[in-house]
């Protein structure tokens, strides 16, 4: 088969300039989150195909890259369907692997367990500009803590992280799946169609309240219910106003929790981020059970981070209920923003180029190498390179790579 | 399909204690190698199956995890062989992807290009103790530099790295594929069977010179050639003695190169490592064309790093000859050694646990959170956790995780 120079469809080679930002960001994330007691873990990039097909993954389960069975296990001739010839799949998120990890290791893990995961995931999405089929996710999760302390820590840690990058003007949108459900119940929508309602509600920022109203009616929901529902949404709606109108146990619990979380974060946080109760916030994944949140940034569409509480998912692996809440920052999104901004990584080393004449003997070369080492010991990057015939062009190239200091070494050490 | 708690066969979950060592090691590697002007790059974990099946990979090509085609491209009913149903494979090393990366990006990359890659690779090996089907490789490569400066920099950088971990008593074994060939030619072995000779020679450390002799004869090589060949190996053989006996242009070139490299490194290096010319060093991969090297450590079998010059491989992708030399450290091996030694990562943060009484109001909790943040700003890790009923047991658990400082916070701030 022919060699192909290009990366496979929808994936990309990462160039030195982008790698510098990624490495810096990963180090900053690890340092910051470790400060909050999060512990890095790593799972294999493969999961058994059964674990990836448990419905938690929603639409992502249609996008799995599947791994062919090997050796005697592969029987191509008798294969009827895909799952006859595959045993593993590449993970499409870090949440399914975390659940399995926790189930597998819970006897030795602390409780609550605060996990930090950074790594690639794969989705066979239709290739499109700016979206790739291999991309990094960066998740923090707290397992085994049913209290709002978990949400507060996640939000404080995430906003502190974004602040450290130098981001300003961000807003934490916060809601609760129980609020969504209580509002849908108040309107009188049938309980088995709540998810449909939420999918339409999720379009609010694109189609507005009138658009949501129209689409609900189009989808066959009763006019009366739609009117009651849409009547709840008004600008500046607070959780207190809402819970006064929608009087249910679920709403009361969610309101208490949201108030506690937003007040504590507002008073404790050190960044300038705003906290906003957003009853239109849905978050796609159906596994969320409580608080949900998302962070937006002024001047940028979409969100830069998102997460929520998912108290029922881990239990499906472990067999015993395990409260869980997670926050994921949009790693690739942030890298793109920083690249577009021409972000300069702070504390980058001074870059010194040693240009060495050809034909040096071993002693003279060792002398140069020792000098290079001494400069490195002072924290600089030292590139030792053979001096080209066209020294001017060589220096121009090195300047483009960030080298600012050039030193020339000849076969005979020159006395200055 | 049923959920499985275990990682897939032959792969492993990485626990917090091991992650701490891995993260530290990766940071140390990046910092050290960047000091030598190496630039991190990253390629996708997938390569087109054609790129992975170009014979450079040797035996590894039999161990590829292959990715099933998707959608309309998959025609299971008419599939006759594996390659009808797959389009990609998981990379089995970082050298094939580097070659493709260079071919794809060479117009914008500096020359010489010094690349650093750290990342997972996959091989469907028979599962066995201590060997995993997903493992990290860590490679530095210099592309576009035909001079021995490249070898010298690679060896200095790698030994400096091992020294920084605290390793002592290591030996760099160095040889040259041209030496291997010149010796085989001297003995009179047929040129098309050199690789067979080298595979047998490679067993020297296990079966000794008599074993090598016997196996060569068994494999049908002429007794006369075998005698001439084995007569070359003697204890303490130097490159000078050897090149006096084996008089050929290839041997002379290799001898000059080896002398230059070993002398320069010996004089320039700051660690206590020994440099030894080792005419029995073969290295498995047939793509090597010049210098080859390996690092062993006292008290540990096998090698902790290895590499060599492969001047012809990149050209197969780019269409134009590109000299290349690389050095790979055994990342997983080193992690295992450090874990076994009970290695303590230097500069680990002090760990402080804030235990918080249940039922605090938002203002009081925010106060605690602000205090936690102040302690974090001083570089400590602070875990904020709800105080359990059994506080003694909770503290014992936290002590086991490395927490040394416990502070208790109650609903009402206590005056001390």
């Amino acid at each position: 088969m022919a060699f192909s120079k290009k990366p496979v469809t929808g994936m990309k080679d990462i160039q030195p300039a982008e790698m510098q930002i990624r490495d810096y960001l990963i180090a900053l994330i690890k340092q910051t989150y470790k400060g909050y007691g999060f512990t890095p873990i790593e799972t294999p990039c493969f999961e058994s195909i059964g674990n990836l097909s448990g419905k938690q993954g929603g639409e992502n389960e249609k996008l799995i890259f599947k791994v062919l069975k090997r050796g005697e296990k592969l029987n191509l001739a008798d294969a009827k369907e895909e799952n006859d010839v595959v045993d593993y799949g590449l993970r499409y998120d870090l949440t399914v692997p975390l659940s399995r990890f926790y189930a597998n290791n819970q006897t030795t893990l602390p409780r609550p367990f605060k996990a930090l995961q950074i790594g690639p995931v794969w989705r066979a999405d239709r290739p499109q500009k700016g979206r790739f089929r291999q991309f990094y996710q960066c998740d923090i999760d707290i397992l085994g803590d049913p209290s709002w302390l978990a949400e507060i820590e996640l939000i404080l840690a995430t906003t502190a992280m974004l602040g450290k990058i130098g981001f300003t003007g961000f807003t934490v949108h916060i809601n609760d799946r129980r609020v969504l459900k209580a509002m849908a119940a108040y309107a009188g929508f049938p309980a088995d169609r709540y998810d449909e309602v939420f999918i339409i509600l999720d379009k609010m920022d694109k189609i507005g309240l009138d658009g949501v109203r129209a689409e609900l009616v189009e989808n066959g929901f009763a006019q009366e219910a739609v009117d009651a529902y849409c009547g709840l949404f008004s600008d500046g709606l607070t959780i207190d106003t809402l819970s006064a109108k929608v009087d249910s146990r679920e709403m009361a619990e969610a309101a208490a929790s949201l108030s506690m979380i937003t007040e504590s974060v507002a008073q404790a946080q050190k960044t300038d981020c705003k906290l906003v109760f957003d009853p239109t916030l849905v978050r796609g994944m159906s596994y969320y059970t409580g608080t949900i949140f998302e962070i937006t940034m002024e001047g940028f569409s979409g969100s830069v981070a998102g997460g929520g509480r998912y108290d029922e998912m881990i239990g499906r692996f472990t067999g015993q209920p395990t409260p869980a809440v997670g926050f994921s920052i949009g790693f690739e999104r942030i890298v793109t923003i920083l690249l577009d901004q021409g972000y300069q990584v702070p504390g980058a080393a001074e870059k010194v180029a040693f240009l060495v004449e050809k034909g040096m003997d071993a002693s003279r070369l060792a002398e140069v190498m020792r000098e290079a080492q001494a400069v490195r010991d002072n924290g600089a990057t030292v590139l030792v390179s053979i001096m080209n015939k066209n020294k001017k062009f060589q220096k121009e190239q090195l300047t483009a790579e960030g080298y600012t200091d050039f030193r020339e070494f000849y076969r005979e050490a020159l006395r200055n």
Side-chain angles (χ1 to χ4, degrees), chain A:
Chain A
M1 266 180 270
F3 286 131
S4 163
K5 292 184 185 185
K6 299 276 169 212
V8 300
T9 308
M11 302 192 189
K12 68 168 177 173
D13 288 333
I14 301 176
Q15 305 293 331
E18 179 175 340
M19 274 305 287
Q20 199 186 13
I21 285 179
R22 298 175 79 91
D23 278 350
Y24 170 73
L25 198 55
I26 288 174
L28 191 70
I29 289 167
K30 293 209 168 182
Q31 185 207 30
T32 305
Y33 287 158
K34 279 181 189 174
Y36 284 79
F38 289 93
T39 307
I41 61 157
E42 204 174 288
T43 65
C45 296
F46 293 13
E47 288 289 333
S48 76
I49 199 75
N51 284 9
L52 295 173
S53 315
K55 304 271 181 273
Q56 285 95 333
E59 289 297 300
N60 294 333
E61 297 193 359
K62 296 177 189 157
L63 305 176
I64 302 173
F65 283 104
K66 297 177 180 176
V67 176
L68 197 69
K69 287 180 182 173
R70 296 147 308 283
E72 289 169 4
K73 287 185 184 158
L74 179 66
N75 180 348
L76 210 50
D78 298 339
K80 296 280 175 291
E81 52 182 70
E82 280 185 24
N83 283 355
D84 294 336
V85 295
V86 300
D87 47 4
Y88 308 142
L90 276 290
R91 63 186 182 197
Y92 50 73
D93 72 9
L94 301 178
T95 308
V96 170
L98 175 69
S99 305
R100 188 197 50 68
F101 178 95
Y102 191 72
N104 193 33
N105 299 286
Q106 60 180 323
T107 52
T108 60
L109 292 172
R111 193 178 175 96
F113 177 56
K114 300 175 80 170
L116 162 60
Q117 297 182 96
I118 307 177
V121 304
W122 292 264
R123 294 180 192 167
D125 257 318
R126 189 176 296 274
Q128 51 184 303
K129 196 178 168 302
R131 283 188 73 171
F132 291 94
R133 291 174 150 195
Q134 172 179 327
F135 58 98
Y136 272 55
Q137 286 198 333
C138 171
D139 289 9
I140 45 176
D141 291 89
I142 302 181
L143 309 186
D145 186 350
S147 82
W148 21 251
L149 199 56
E151 277 91 339
I152 295 169
E153 281 270 85
L154 286 177
I155 297 173
L156 286 175
T158 304
T159 52
M161 228 297 296
L162 296 173
K164 279 196 189 178
I165 307 172
F167 285 164
T168 54
F170 45 90
T171 302
V172 181
H173 303 259
I174 185 165
N175 195 12
D176 195 302
R177 294 289 289 200
R178 290 170 297 181
V179 171
L180 288 172
K181 281 188 194 164
M183 290 171 80
Y186 166 88
F189 292 125
D192 62 350
R193 295 190 66 190
Y194 284 178
D195 277 338
E196 287 175 67
V197 174
F198 301 157
I199 289 169
I200 296 168
L201 175 65
D202 200 20
K203 302 179 184 171
M204 182 76 91
D205 57 340
K206 290 200 185 71
I207 62 176
L209 186 57
D210 288 344
V212 168
R213 186 191 304 272
E215 201 163 317
L216 284 169
V217 173
E218 263 169 44
N219 278 266
F221 290 101
Q223 186 69 50
E224 205 180 0
V226 174
D227 286 341
Y229 193 59
C230 292
L232 289 173
F233 296 94
S234 59
D235 281 348
L237 184 68
T238 67
I239 184 69
D240 291 337
T241 336
L242 188 64
S243 59
K245 274 195 209 169
V246 179
D247 182 21
S248 78
R249 196 175 55 91
E250 269 208 317
M251 178 60 92
E253 282 174 6
S257 160
L258 285 173
S259 300
M260 187 69 195
I261 293 165
T262 47
E263 281 176 40
S264 303
V265 171
Q267 290 180 45
Q269 62 129 347
K270 295 175 64 180
T271 57
D272 69 344
C273 89
K274 287 190 288 256
L275 277 112
V276 177
F277 167 62
D278 182 351
T280 73
L281 180 68
V282 172
R283 302 280 308 153
M285 307 308 283
S286 60
Y287 56 65
Y288 288 122
T289 56
T291 328
I292 44 180
F293 26 71
E294 226 170 67
I295 299 182
T296 58
M297 233 166 62
E298 259 171 47
F300 298 93
S301 64
S303 63
V304 293
R309 184 170 277 281
Y310 55 102
D311 281 346
E312 281 159 23
M313 183 170 175
I314 307 278
R316 273 180 233 145
F317 282 83
T318 59
Q320 43 187 302
T322 305
V325 54
F327 213 152
S328 180
I329 62 161
F331 183 86
E332 302 290 350
R333 184 76 204 282
I334 293 171
V335 168
T336 305
I337 291 173
L338 294 177
L339 269 175
D340 290 349
Q341 288 178 342
Y343 187 76
Q344 292 298 314
V345 168
E350 190 201 2
K351 294 174 96 172
V352 183
F354 277 29
L355 303 182
V356 177
E357 192 185 17
K358 263 191 188 163
M360 239 174 224
D361 68 21
S363 300
R364 173 71 183 126
L365 187 61
E367 204 177 292
V368 175
M369 290 301 195
R370 280 197 300 271
E371 191 170 329
Q373 193 48 53
V375 179
R376 283 177 190 132
D377 288 346
N378 286 328
T381 286
V382 180
L383 180 81
V384 181
S385 195
I386 293 286
M387 196 183 290
N388 289 351
K389 279 180 193 153
N390 188 341
K391 207 162 58 181
K392 185 159 169 286
F393 179 66
Q394 188 178 19
K395 287 187 185 175
E396 280 168 11
Q397 278 197 314
L398 288 167
T399 303
E401 283 174 65
Y403 285 87
T404 51
D405 185 354
F406 299 94
R407 306 190 195 172
E408 300 174 13
F409 298 87
Y410 294 88
R411 281 190 292 257
E412 308 291 326
L414 297 176
R415 287 168 207 278
N416 291 313

